[in-house]
């Protein structure tokens, strides 16, 4: 899997967080003394440098709010993806709430590095005990690491949770895929075409939403989709016959719809997908998929599962790593490699065949 925004911020490839201070003598090189213990052989308790000498241990609430405010300012200005920013805000607020509920045990959570790491480690332990997944715990730790870095200017080194390599992504079975296609066809030409593009081009929800008329040139014998992906990467993928047929039907219906509603036509512009009041949003694309999934007996269906299904069908048809990587627009071959791991269903079938006595 490609490195997430969390990993990019907190891991520089050498196994240590980017915000870890490595100077052994406690000097950061900029004339300021590191908050970490200067004498590695000495007692931590005797060498802690408090960053807020005047802060009373009972002022956890005020310190937490100050840190959250500084953290929020950083998130407003940083270049992280919108979903990552939202997740980091949520995790930081969750940590704040937990900390206030345990203020008596962690009154020094914003006083010095030792107190901060003790508090965050205890929160990590609580998240794992509550059943949070390793990925969720690591996201929470990444958010809180940034909270401390941009709030009280403490650089934490809290151990991350090991994330086991997953098996193959959760693709639809053939029967489920056919049920989704039928449900989409029943909803009308737009939803039918949208589902066909997600299943037939492996588009992400954002890539599907960004499509313009000029991005889907279709002829009687061929058709492609020009997808605008992450980091402004653009790739062109061929469209299979079912997707071309349904897109053609939608383009005709779209022309009739916009001709009858000039105001809607102005709002949609050259966007491929028309909604009630303008161009369909990313949330609108997701809502269509969820509605189709509900009709097909798959409540909670999301666009990315259709992308997984696309990649799985390619692998089943004999496509290699490089071909699937190019079609999906993966930056790393490691992400594509997920589709070549045995799925839970395949493992279960293997066990049943091997132990059928």
């Amino acid at each position: 899997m490609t490195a997430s925004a969390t990993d990019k911020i907190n891991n520089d490839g050498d196994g240590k967080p980017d915000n870890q201070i490595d100077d052994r003598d406690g000097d950061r090189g900029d004339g300021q003394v590191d908050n970490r213990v200067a004498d590695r052989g000495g007692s931590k308790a005797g060498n802690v440098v408090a960053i807020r000498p005047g802060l009373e241990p009972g002022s956890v609430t005020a310190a937490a709010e100050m840190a959250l405010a500084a953290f929020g300012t950083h998130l407003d200005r940083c270049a992280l993806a919108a979903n990552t920013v939202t997740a980091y805000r949520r995790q930081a607020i969750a940590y704040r709430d937990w900390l206030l509920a345990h203020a008596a045990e962690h009154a020094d959570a914003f006083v010095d590095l030792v107190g901060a790491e003790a508090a965050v480690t205890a929160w990590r332990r609580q998240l794992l005990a509550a059943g949070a997944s390793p990925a969720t715990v690591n996201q929470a730790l990444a958010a809180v690491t940034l909270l401390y870095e941009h709030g009280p200017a403490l650089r934490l080194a809290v151990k991350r949770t090991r994330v086991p390599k997953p098996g193959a992504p959760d693709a639809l079975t053939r029967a489920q895929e056919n049920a989704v296609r039928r449900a989409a066809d029943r909803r009308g030409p737009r939803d039918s075409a949208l589902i066909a593009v997600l299943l037939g081009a492996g588009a992400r929800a954002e890539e599907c939403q960004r499509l313009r008329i000029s991005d889907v040139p279709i002829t009687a014998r061929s058709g492609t989709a020009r997808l605008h992906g992450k980091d402004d990467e653009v790739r062109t993928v061929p469209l299979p016959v079912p997707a071309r047929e349904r897109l053609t039907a939608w383009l005709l219906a779209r022309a009739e719809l916009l001709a009858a509603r000039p105001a809607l036509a102005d709002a949609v512009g050259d966007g491929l997908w028309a909604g009630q009041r303008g161009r369909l949003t990313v949330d609108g694309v997701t809502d269509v998929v969820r509605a189709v999934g509900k009709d097909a007996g798959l409540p909670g269906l999301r666009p990315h599962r259709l992308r997984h299904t696309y990649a799985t069908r390619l692998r089943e048809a004999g496509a290699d790593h490089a071909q699937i990587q190019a079609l999906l627009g993966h930056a790393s071959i490691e992400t594509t490699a997920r589709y070549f791991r045995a799925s839970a269903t395949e493992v279960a079938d293997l066990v049943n065949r091997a132990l059928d006595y």
Side-chain angles (χ1 to χ4, degrees):
M1 182 179 290
T2 52
S4 67
T6 298
D7 294 326
K8 290 178 181 177
I9 290 173
N10 294 282
N11 195 323
D12 60 6
D14 62 1
K16 295 188 300 184
D18 285 347
N19 52 16
Q20 178 72 43
I21 296 176
D22 220 19
D23 297 0
R24 298 297 177 177
D25 60 0
D27 188 344
R28 302 190 309 184
D30 56 2
Q32 298 181 30
V33 177
D34 182 14
N35 294 312
R36 188 165 295 284
V37 177
D39 180 5
R40 299 289 171 162
S43 167
K44 279 191 175 183
N47 292 281
V48 172
V49 179
I51 63 155
R52 295 288 185 273
L55 187 64
E56 293 297 327
S59 302
V60 177
T61 301
E65 293 302 335
M66 289 171 60
L68 271 178
F71 181 54
T73 299
H74 167 71
L75 291 180
D76 290 339
R77 300 172 60 187
C78 69
L80 292 175
N83 288 343
T84 302
V85 170
T86 299
Y88 278 17
R89 289 186 195 278
R90 182 176 65 249
Q91 297 289 10
I93 291 172
Y95 173 68
R96 186 272 313 273
D97 293 345
W98 175 86
L99 187 59
L100 298 187
H102 298 80
E105 304 101 285
H106 301 288
D108 56 352
F110 288 96
V111 174
D112 54 46
L113 189 62
V114 174
E117 290 187 348
V120 175
T121 300
W123 186 52
R124 171 185 180 274
R125 191 179 303 116
Q126 187 273 331
L127 291 174
L128 290 171
S133 69
T136 298
V137 172
N138 287 344
Q139 181 191 69
L141 293 176
V144 173
T145 297
L146 280 179
L147 171 74
Y148 274 96
E149 181 177 349
H150 294 279
L154 285 172
R155 304 199 173 199
L156 307 185
V158 177
K159 183 180 178 182
R160 297 294 190 263
T161 301
R162 181 179 176 274
V163 180
K165 287 187 176 181
D170 185 21
L172 297 174
T173 65
R174 294 281 183 176
Q176 290 172 331
E177 181 182 353
N178 291 334
V180 167
R181 291 185 185 277
R182 291 193 298 270
D185 288 344
R186 290 194 295 269
R187 290 179 60 85
R190 187 200 65 180
D191 293 1
S192 177
L194 190 149
I195 295 296
V197 167
L198 293 171
L199 283 170
R204 301 177 178 92
E206 295 83 356
E207 295 170 344
C208 183
Q209 185 272 333
R210 292 173 186 167
L211 284 171
R212 299 166 296 182
I213 297 294
S214 58
D215 289 327
V216 287
I218 298 173
T219 67
R221 296 188 177 182
S222 67
T224 59
R226 188 169 183 264
L227 301 173
H228 301 259
K230 295 181 177 180
D231 300 323
D232 296 323
E233 293 290 336
V234 178
R235 69 187 187 279
T236 299
V237 300
L239 291 171
V241 173
R244 298 203 304 267
E245 291 176 345
R246 286 163 175 79
L247 269 173
T248 299
W250 163 238
L251 290 173
L252 293 174
R254 176 186 180 280
E256 294 178 1
L257 171 66
L258 298 187
R261 298 179 58 185
L264 179 61
D266 291 339
V268 172
D270 64 349
L272 178 59
W273 312 112
Q276 290 294 324
R277 293 178 294 277
R279 191 168 179 172
L280 203 63
T281 63
V282 174
D283 286 342
V285 171
T286 301
D287 288 344
V288 169
V289 174
R290 289 169 65 93
V292 170
K294 183 178 179 181
D295 292 346
L298 294 166
L301 183 65
R302 308 286 291 187
H304 222 66
R305 193 173 181 192
L306 304 186
R307 178 171 160 86
H308 292 329
T309 302
Y310 169 81
T312 300
R313 297 292 176 264
L314 291 175
R315 191 257 296 172
E316 292 171 346
D320 61 29
H321 288 69
Q323 291 169 327
I324 296 178
Q325 180 184 13
L327 289 168
L328 289 180
H330 285 157
S332 170
I333 195 69
E334 288 299 318
T335 306
T336 309
R338 291 183 60 194
Y339 296 100
F340 290 84
R341 298 182 189 133
S343 66
T345 300
E346 290 171 330
V347 171
D349 289 344
L350 172 63
V351 170
N352 287 332
R353 290 196 306 272
L355 304 179
D356 185 14
Y357 51 81

